[in-house]
């Protein structure tokens, strides 16, 4: 677990936001909570979160944490909601309304789950406070992030009238409008960086989309490469991911990398994702943030843990999906140094500079 921030937060209009787009104002509640079940953590706008507080204006207590896996739920929190969140850049921050960044969260542009917890919401909402009347923050809140596939938002626990009203408001909102066919096509094109890739890339999933803000041209170059080059690139990227994470010499990982190079099925525990993650989080040598990690991943559990998906991605039967998935995971492990990784890939595989992607 990495604690990013623990202290006070100034709120205005009863809210603050988390944003990877760096918009100082953030979305409004009707936009952020559209189509949701919960009204405390609005996640309907890509790349940002709108968080509600019981206190309208003043100071609240806030703790922000990043975990390698879902943390246990503390019974001391009165309100608990969860939602999915995928940053659109490597720069994610907690922002107060129009007052700049409170702290940097440092999340990779991959799928995460966020849990937002609070207590003291009714007291905060029903009482007018002045600076002379209260010595500390009014109400306390906790934000926790960990890697997880997308899933619907949900209300885990609700005890206050304030939270109940916000949830009721969110459920009254219509889902985000999809628009007509032309609007959908324009939105799809924009989401791919201004030009649509091949259908195979569009069907490859989140890893392909994750490469768009990092290097859109490289996405097309990988698509245009022959299957043999794609397969070699996938294996190369998996090795680079484990090297960046400082895990390439761990005795139960090296056999899997060797099997990948030989084109053989991955050995245990990598033949079962659940067992592989259990081994990862219980081995002192592979615990995220351990002292053996390379400088690029030191102290950053999410980036170090992303080496694991690189191996399974590289072993996929489809060479294009294998290459895109392993390359994206390797980029996340490199953090802001990902341009150097991509430059190395182009030098290692000259074919990435030639060809037109199939349509």
């Amino acid at each position: 677990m990495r604690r990013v921030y623990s202290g006070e937060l100034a709120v205005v209009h009863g809210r603050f936001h988390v944003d990877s787009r760096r918009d100082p104002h953030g979305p409004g509640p009707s936009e952020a909570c559209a189509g949701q079940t919960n009204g405390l953590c609005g996640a309907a706008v890509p790349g940002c979160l709108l968080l509600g507080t019981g206190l309208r204006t003043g100071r609240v207590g806030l703790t922000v944490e990043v975990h390698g896996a879902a943390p246990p739920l503390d019974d001391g929190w009165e309100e608990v909601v969860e939602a999915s969140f995928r940053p659109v850049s490597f720069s994610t921050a907690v922002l107060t309304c129009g007052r700049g960044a409170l702290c940097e969260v440092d999340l990779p542009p991959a799928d995460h789950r966020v849990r937002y917890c609070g207590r003291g919401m009714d007291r905060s909402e029903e009482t007018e406070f002045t600076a002379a009347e209260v010595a500390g923050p009014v109400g306390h809140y906790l934000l926790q992030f960990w890697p997880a596939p997308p899933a619907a938002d949900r209300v885990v626990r609700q005890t206050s009238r304030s939270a109940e009203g916000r949830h009721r408001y969110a459920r009254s909102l219509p889902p985000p409008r999809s628009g007509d066919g032309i609007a959908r096509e324009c939105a799809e094109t924009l989401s791919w960086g201004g030009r649509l890739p091949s259908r195979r890339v569009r069907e490859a999933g989140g890893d392909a989309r994750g490469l768009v803000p990092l290097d859109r041209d490289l996405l097309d170059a990988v698509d245009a490469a022959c299957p043999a080059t794609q397969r070699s690139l996938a294996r190369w990227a998996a090795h680079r991911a484990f090297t960046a994470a400082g895990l390439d010499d761990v005795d139960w990982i090296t056999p899997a990398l060797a099997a990948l190079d030989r084109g053989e099925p991955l050995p245990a525990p990598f033949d079962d994702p659940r067992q592989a993650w259990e081994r990862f989080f219980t081995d002192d040598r592979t615990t995220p943030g351990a002292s053996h990690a390379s400088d690029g991943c030191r102290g950053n559990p999410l980036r170090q843990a992303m080496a694991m998906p690189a191996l399974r991605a590289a072993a996929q039967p489809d060479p294009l999906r294998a290459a895109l998935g392993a390359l994206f995971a390797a980029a996340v492990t490199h953090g802001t140094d990902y341009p150097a990784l991509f430059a190395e890939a182009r030098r290692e595989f000259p074919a990435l500079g030639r060809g037109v992607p199939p349509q």
Side-chain angles (χ1 to χ4, degrees):
M1 184 271 287
R2 177 165 53 94
R3 179 158 293 174
V4 177
Y5 180 82
S6 181
E8 295 184 358
L9 164 73
V11 297
V12 179
H13 305 304
R15 58 181 182 262
F16 65 100
H17 68 291
V18 172
D19 211 320
S20 59
R21 311 163 307 162
R22 285 310 178 88
D23 185 333
H25 300 290
S30 62
E31 183 182 10
C33 296
Q36 291 196 168
T37 297
N38 96 86
L40 290 179
C41 179
V45 177
C48 68
L49 300 167
L50 182 69
L51 294 313
T53 62
L55 185 67
R56 179 170 176 80
T57 301
R59 293 175 297 128
V60 300
L62 177 67
T63 299
V64 182
E65 299 174 348
V66 177
H67 296 256
L73 180 61
D74 187 338
D75 292 337
W77 295 103
E78 299 166 352
E79 317 299 331
V80 182
V81 299
E82 291 183 0
S84 290
F85 175 58
R86 185 185 181 96
V88 297
S89 74
F90 275 101
S91 179
T92 299
V94 177
L95 301 165
T96 57
C97 293
R99 298 187 182 182
L102 178 72
C103 64
E104 298 283 342
V105 187
D106 193 18
L107 296 175
D111 291 317
H112 298 81
R113 193 70 172 170
V114 56
R115 179 183 294 157
Y116 183 49
C117 310
R119 60 173 173 261
M121 289 193 65
D122 278 346
R123 176 174 178 265
S124 303
E125 187 175 69
E126 294 172 354
T127 308
E128 291 292 334
F129 293 97
T130 67
E133 291 174 329
V134 60
V138 181
H140 292 79
Y141 300 87
L142 170 68
L143 264 176
Q144 297 173 310
F145 297 88
W146 66 90
D153 76 297
R154 68 186 186 119
V155 176
V156 180
R157 183 181 302 153
Q158 180 263 306
T159 64
S160 70
R161 293 188 301 275
S162 175
E164 180 184 17
R166 289 174 184 257
H167 298 331
R168 188 186 312 114
Y169 170 75
R171 292 162 189 166
S172 71
L173 296 171
R177 292 186 300 173
S178 60
D180 56 23
I182 295 178
R184 286 195 298 270
E185 183 176 347
C186 290
E188 176 78 355
T189 301
L190 287 174
S191 73
W192 287 103
R195 62 183 187 274
L196 284 176
S198 70
R199 181 174 296 279
R200 290 187 65 216
V201 170
R202 297 200 299 272
E203 293 174 349
D207 292 340
R209 285 189 180 274
L211 288 170
V212 171
L214 306 182
D215 193 326
R216 180 63 180 80
D217 292 336
L218 183 59
L219 181 66
D220 285 341
V222 174
D223 189 19
C226 68
T229 297
Q230 292 169 348
R231 181 61 65 189
S232 296
L233 175 62
R235 294 167 179 163
W236 176 87
H239 279 275
R240 289 298 181 274
F242 278 91
T243 298
L247 306 176
D248 54 326
D249 59 351
V250 177
D251 56 7
W252 58 271
I253 291 177
T254 52
L257 290 170
L260 179 71
D261 291 339
R262 295 191 298 266
E264 299 173 355
L266 298 181
F270 291 95
D271 55 343
D272 183 330
R274 182 182 59 82
Q275 292 184 8
W277 281 115
E278 286 181 357
R279 184 71 181 272
F280 180 83
F281 285 112
T282 56
D283 190 325
D284 290 341
R285 296 167 297 172
T286 57
T287 300
S291 59
H292 65 273
S294 67
D295 289 342
C297 284
R298 191 184 302 277
N300 192 320
L302 286 179
R303 278 169 50 191
Q304 192 177 347
M306 278 300 291
M308 297 286 283
L311 184 55
R312 288 193 59 82
Q316 291 189 72
D318 182 350
L320 174 61
R321 292 194 178 205
L324 295 176
L327 194 59
F328 174 69
V332 174
T333 63
H334 281 71
T336 55
D337 293 333
Y338 74 86
L341 172 74
F342 291 166
E344 184 182 356
R346 287 185 167 95
R347 292 193 299 270
E348 187 75 16
F349 301 93
L352 297 180
R354 302 191 299 270
V356 177
Q359 301 297 317

